[in-house]
Every structure is written in structure tokens, then in C-alpha cells.
Amino acid sequence: MSEQPLAIRAIFEHAMRAHAHKYIISRDGDAVVRFTYAQFGRRVAQLAHALRKLGIGPGDRVASFAWNGHRHLELYFAVPMIGAVLHTVNIRLFPDQVAFVLDHAGDRAVFVDASLVKAIKPAIALNPDAERAFVVMGETSELLAGSSRYEELLAAEPDTYDWPEFDERSAALLCYTSATTGDPKGVLYSHRSTYIHALSIGLTDAMGIGERDRVLPVVPLFHVNAWGTPFVSLMVGADFIMPMERLDPAGLVELLESERVTVSAGVPTIWMAVRDLLRARNTRLPLLRKVIIGGSAMPPSLMDDLEELGIRAIHAWGMTEMSPVGTLNVDSSAADDKPELRRKERYTQGRFSPIVSWRLVDESGNDVPADGTSRGELLVRGYAVAREYYRNDAATAAGFEPDGWFHTGDVATIDPYGYLEIVDRVKDFIKSGGEWISSVEVENLLMGHPGVKEAAVFGVAHPKWQERPVAAVVLREGHDLDEEAIRGWLLERLAKWQTPDRILFMTVIPRTGVGKFLKRELRAQNERLFAEG
Ligand code: ADP
């Protein structure tokens, strides 16, 4: 058989030949712009020439600091297809973290959205002597010192490119984890892993995306390659729609509606806001057939609410180190005549992708059974699972076994039909009086309370119990609940020792750069809550 390399170029060239008439659509300022794949492909070629003129060659790293928009997607193809590496920087990191990742990656050029020029300036000021080119994407009067304008660079270039062929193991993309502890850790994806991951997520029992679909990733292009959606969409010829900075629920609903989106993806907090808006307006999105929800646990109540609105919510679990998809929740035949089993399995994180091998192990590293109740730490290995962190031997030694198994840091159960349920992250478990409380379990319950909009549960040091659970809660409008009311409701459903000692009412729960609840900050703000005296 042919040993033609698995490469992003293969996805691109197939898309251009087989689906030239399909669309890449993006908000751009107040407008919505549309490019056929063919037009998009010509811009990708122009960008490739422009990159070469900037001095970018094979192996060089190029950073993006951008929303989900068509120019960012052009970088997704042009940069890896000339053999360079696209480093998608999380625009919500703190300036010192942005400075850290640009420096750690050794980025030779940074492509910045016009609306983000202001946001990146403090990071650049931290390292003014770094030698790198800046390119500003979109209209703005605010430029960076020495920067060029994206459209001017492209306009000067020819619209075809003689794409080079290289080893499929060459690096293509680079993404850093969002650093819930310590410095961000880089994961370098190869052409081969990107291609295989795209194939795997397109399967019917995975995201199940086809040519008829119109895909809108709410998940950022800087959050683990928007979970692979750009590559699978172009692979199958789906229209691809991007919202730019309009991530507010009204802006999203407007675009989902006007662009007749059929598949979307994002973290739970986004879909909570969309659900609330749809309910408040008493409208539906009849064409949106499914949304992929992951990044943190989807509360069962959110899933029920979305299904009531006619939207199939597919729970997914993954990690930056896994490209990211590990599991997706699609109904199995085993539960067809077992409604109880179906109910239970539907809320889990789903079944494993065929390209991921897994083990559940106890603290001594012994395998625990996949019986749906035994808990263990989840280890993974696979075609699109990292083997090491980028330029970080210490983190690699801590996270990976010598034979390649990666420690996810997640504690889970797996049932006999292969459904994974994440019990909690090791570091989010609450250790109370020798027992372990799953923060996820308490959060899921709380978010099922009719008056609770959002909840995050975390452990706080306690002089007697080591730690006790505390809940941060955002109430729904029009609900007036106090601590005792919520604790009373919880006590009817949970053992006393599992019930949070304190309920803290907040107007907003702090979030990570990709929209997950930021428990580290909640813990830090409340570390002395139970201090003696
Ligand atoms: P970070 O660890 O910085 O948040 P990732 O985006 O790679 O970076 O997060 C991966 C982690 O997110 C997983 O190890 C897991 O703890 C959590 N996670 C992702 N998806 C889910 C899910 N569906 N349910 C529960 N936890 C999830």
C-alpha cells in the first residue's frame, strides 16, 4: 500500500477538489462574510507566500492571538502546510502567561486580531526585545510597533502554492494547557495525529459530522484546535461558521439561527446561557440537531433542558494532551430495551474513541475492573495522545509513564458497556474526615435546583475535618433563596457529611480562559473561611 503521509495538506486538497463550492463563513466587524472553499483556498495560498516572505520556514513557530474567524482558520492551514507550527495562544491568559508561552514556544511571528491588539500589548511590553514579526488581522487604527496588515500582505501574493511534502510526524500545531496549576504546558500535535484525530471524530458514533452539516464551533480555535472541528468539517465538506468576538448568548443565537447551524460545540457554561435565553424568549433552534458539550462535566439538568428545547446534547470528555477528544456520548444498542441503563449512561461522558486506549488504576498502579462502580485514575495512550510535553522534561516525567501511558489526573468509573464517568479531578476531590467528596456530584445536584443558575463546589481547609465542601452559587433571576434553604434542599438528597457547610452567593463565578469554573481562585478567596478564631 501507498505510504503517502497523513497530513493537513491531504485534508485541504481533498476539500478544495471535492467541495470547492462549500462555505467558510465568519463574522467580521458588523458584517458576516462568506468564502467558498475555493476562495478560502486561494487566500490560504496567498498567506503561505506571505509567511515565507516574513522569513517563516519549516519548523518555525507562528502564534495566533485571535477569535474564531476566517483569518484564524486560514492560519490553521497555511502555517502547517508550509511545514511551520501554528501556536494558538489563549487570548484570556494573563499578560505574564502570554509572554511566557510566546517565549517558551519561540514564536517568530504573531498574528493578532484587530480587536485584540490592545489586549496583547501588556504581554509584549514584558519582553520588548524579542525578535518577532507582528501581523494585525482586520481593520484598526491601533497597530503594534513594526506590525504589518494581514490583508495588505495577502493582496501582494499569488493565489496558488506548490505545497511541499514532508514526514507525517512533523509538528503542525502547538497548544498550551490552561494552567490550572503552575506554568502552561505545551502539547505539540503532528500532521499524522491531527489527521487521525479528525477521521475519528467524524465517525457516526462520535461527532457524526457530514457534508450536509453546518458547523459552528463556539469552542475557541485556541482551545485544543476547537476540538478538531475545523479539520473534520473540511474533511467532509461541511460549511464552517465562526462567531468572532460575539460569544454573548444573543449574538450566538442570532448566528445559529441565521446561518442555519446544525452542529455546534462548547463548554457547559456557554450552553447554560444559550438555554436561558431560548427559554426567556420562548424560541427554539429547530435546525440545530446537536451540540457537543465538554471541557468540564455537563450537569444532567442542562442536558435535560436542552433536550426539552429539541437539542441533542452530546457529552464529551477530553484533554489538551489528547487532541482533545477521548470520549463522546452516543446511545448504545445495549440500552435499547433498558430505560434505566439508558438514563444512567446518557449522563456519563460516553464511550471511548477507537484511537484511544485506556486503563483505570488504583493508587498502586493496579488495574481496577470496568464494572461501573470501581474507581481509579484514568490512564490513556493513543494515536492522538501526547507522548511528552513540549520542552518540559519535568512535566513529562511527572505526567507520562516510561511506556507512554499518560496520567489524566481524572478519577473515573467505566461500565461494562464502555461508558466512562468522570467522578472528579484528583485535585478537586474534597477530603473530609477520611472520606472523599466528589465536587462534580454536588455541583450536578445543585444545578438541578430550579433557583440555581450556576454552582461550583470546592474544598476549604478545616481545623477538624481537614477540608469541608463549600458551594459558590449564582441564583436565577427572581429567586430569593438563603443558605439554609439551599442546604435544607441538599440535605434531602445528600448525606450530611457531603453537604457543603457554606453556600456563598455570587453574581458571577470566576472562569478559566476557556470558560470553566476556576476553582483555584475560589479556593484562594476563601482559604480562611473555617480558620480558627
Ligand atoms: P485544563 O486542565 O487546563 O482545564 P484541558 O482543557 O485539557 O485543560 O482540560 C482537561 C480536563 O478537563 C480533563 O482532565 C477533565 O478533568 C476536564 N474535563 C474535560 N471534559 C470533561 C467532562 N465532560 N466532564 C468532566 N470533566 C471534564
Side-chain angles (χ1 to χ4, degrees), residues 16 77 186 228 263 286 397 413 498:
M16 295 308 125
F77 287 87
V263 178
T413 63
Q498 291 172 305

Side-chain angles (χ1 to χ4, degrees), residues 341-369:
L341 181 63
R342 165 103 344 128
R343 252 186 66 75
K344 199 170 165 295
E345 285 184 338
R346 273 212 157 181
Y347 296 128
T348 70
Q349 277 74 6
R351 282 180 297 177
F352 282 90
S353 154
I355 66 167
V356 176
S357 321
W358 52 269
R359 290 174 62 196
L360 269 189
V361 299
D362 64 19
E363 273 148 34
S364 331
N366 299 316
D367 289 278
V368 306

Side-chain angles (χ1 to χ4, degrees), residues 176-181 189 223-224 227 267-268 293-298 314-322 324 327 348-350 406-411 420-428 440 512 514 516:
Y176 284 77
T177 63
S178 42
T180 32
T181 49
Y189 309 99
H223 185 201
V224 214
W227 301 350
V267 293
I293 302 185
S296 49
M298 162 161 58
I314 297 192
H315 200 178
W317 166 85
M319 301 185 74
T320 308
E321 293 84 345
M322 301 177 70
T327 62
T348 70
Q349 277 74 6
F406 169 64
H407 286 260
T408 64
D410 287 332
V411 173
L420 168 80
E421 185 162 16
I422 301 286
V423 183
D424 211 342
R425 289 193 186 208
V426 173
K427 57 179 187 278
D428 287 341
V440 174
T512 70
V514 295
K516 309 184 191 189

Side-chain angles (χ1 to χ4, degrees), residues 277-515:
L277 186 77
L278 291 175
R279 278 182 166 173
R281 290 188 182 164
N282 198 18
T283 50
R284 290 182 172 231
L285 295 165
L287 296 176
L288 183 60
R289 56 186 188 94
K290 61 181 162 192
V291 295
I292 319 293
I293 302 185
S296 49
M298 162 161 58
S301 53
L302 176 61
M303 182 162 172
D304 294 344
D305 294 347
L306 289 174
E307 306 250 307
E308 211 178 285
L309 289 161
I311 302 168
R312 174 87 177 93
I314 297 192
H315 200 178
W317 166 85
M319 301 185 74
T320 308
E321 293 84 345
M322 301 177 70
S323 298
V325 175
T327 62
L328 279 150
N329 194 324
V330 177
D331 290 346
S332 76
S333 60
D336 278 351
D337 50 2
K338 300 189 186 73
E340 260 316 294
L341 181 63
R342 165 103 344 128
R343 252 186 66 75
K344 199 170 165 295
E345 285 184 338
R346 273 212 157 181
Y347 296 128
T348 70
Q349 277 74 6
R351 282 180 297 177
F352 282 90
S353 154
I355 66 167
V356 176
S357 321
W358 52 269
R359 290 174 62 196
L360 269 189
V361 299
D362 64 19
E363 273 148 34
S364 331
N366 299 316
D367 289 278
V368 306
D371 56 11
T373 50
S374 302
R375 292 175 174 187
E377 191 199 349
L378 183 59
L379 310 191
V380 292
R381 203 161 68 167
Y383 299 95
V385 176
R387 182 64 191 82
E388 62 184 19
Y389 288 108
Y390 184 58
R391 296 178 168 171
N392 191 336
D393 293 341
T396 297
F400 294 84
E401 293 289 332
D403 57 1
W405 287 99
F406 169 64
H407 286 260
T408 64
D410 287 332
V411 173
T413 63
I414 298 174
D415 84 359
Y417 306 100
Y419 282 81
L420 168 80
E421 185 162 16
I422 301 286
V423 183
D424 211 342
R425 289 193 186 208
V426 173
K427 57 179 187 278
D428 287 341
F429 263 112
I430 300 153
K431 297 146 212 85
S432 173
E435 298 283 352
W436 295 65
I437 301 169
S438 152
S439 65
V440 174
E441 190 183 330
V442 184
E443 282 161 9
N444 282 348
L445 256 181
L446 270 169
M447 284 191 270
H449 186 295
V452 174
K453 190 164 156 192
E454 293 175 357
V457 173
F458 54 100
V460 173
H462 191 282
K464 178 161 173 209
W465 300 108
Q466 185 180 356
E467 277 185 343
R468 284 297 298 152
V470 172
V473 163
V474 179
L475 290 180
R476 285 183 188 288
E477 244 171 76
H479 285 264
D480 184 20
L481 293 158
D482 62 9
E483 253 189 282
E484 276 325 294
I486 292 190
R487 272 181 41 82
W489 185 87
L490 278 177
L491 281 166
E492 289 168 20
R493 293 161 175 83
L494 275 179
K496 184 148 187 275
W497 63 272
Q498 291 172 305
T499 303
D501 285 5
R502 294 291 311 276
I503 311 286
L504 309 175
F505 295 98
M506 313 188 69
T507 48
V508 60
I509 295 176
R511 285 162 166 58
T512 70
V514 295

Side-chain angles (χ1 to χ4, degrees), residues 97-280:
Q97 292 176 316
V98 174
F100 171 85
V101 295
L102 292 178
D103 188 48
H104 189 265
D107 295 312
R108 302 263 326 262
V110 188
F111 285 70
V112 187
D113 267 339
S115 60
L116 293 169
V117 167
K118 201 179 247 141
I120 202 173
K121 275 189 172 166
I124 291 167
L126 290 173
N127 192 359
D129 301 329
E131 268 187 46
R132 52 178 71 110
F134 290 99
V135 179
V136 175
M137 303 187 283
E139 286 307 313
T140 175
S141 52
E142 189 163 18
L143 286 176
L144 294 153
S147 63
S148 30
R149 290 179 186 271
Y150 188 88
E151 293 301 333
E152 284 170 15
L153 291 184
L154 262 62
E157 299 301 334
D159 63 6
T160 58
Y161 196 96
D162 191 11
W163 302 108
E165 193 163 290
F166 35 79
D167 192 315
E168 64 183 21
R169 290 165 300 183
S170 311
L173 296 138
L174 173 64
C175 181
Y176 284 77
T177 63
S178 42
T180 32
T181 49
D183 282 330
K185 293 177 288 209
V187 177
L188 196 57
Y189 309 99
S190 65
H191 280 264
R192 173 187 153 86
S193 69
T194 306
Y195 190 96
I196 295 177
H197 181 263
L199 270 183
S200 74
I201 60 175
L203 295 173
T204 310
D205 279 355
M207 291 188 189
I209 292 176
E211 188 267 342
R212 284 171 191 282
D213 279 311
R214 297 176 61 81
V215 180
L216 184 155
V218 183
V219 50
L221 289 169
F222 60 74
H223 185 201
V224 214
N225 310 325
W227 301 350
T229 54
F231 298 115
V232 67
S233 297
L234 269 83
M235 197 176 240
V236 302
D239 291 324
F240 197 70
I241 298 135
M242 291 164 286
M244 286 296 284
E245 54 271 81
R246 287 297 308 278
L247 297 175
D248 58 296
L252 280 178
V253 167
E254 184 187 287
L255 199 62
L256 289 165
E257 208 161 32
S258 64
E259 291 302 330
R260 308 185 319 280
V261 171
T262 60
V263 178
S264 189
V267 293
T269 46
I270 291 278
W271 299 104
M272 291 178 194
V274 168
R275 167 200 63 194
D276 293 346
L277 186 77
L278 291 175
R279 278 182 166 173

Side-chain angles (χ1 to χ4, degrees), residues 11-53:
I11 300 176
F12 176 81
E13 287 186 333
H14 173 72
M16 295 308 125
R17 298 198 72 184
H19 305 291
H21 60 292
K22 299 306 295 282
Y23 280 94
I24 305 293
I25 297 162
S26 172
R27 281 196 195 272
D28 191 12
D30 293 332
V32 174
V33 293
R34 285 157 210 285
F35 301 89
T36 61
Y37 275 19
Q39 290 170 320
F40 171 79
R42 290 196 282 273
R43 286 174 58 85
V44 170
Q46 288 177 308
L47 174 56
H49 287 289
L51 285 162
R52 297 296 295 169
K53 284 215 178 130

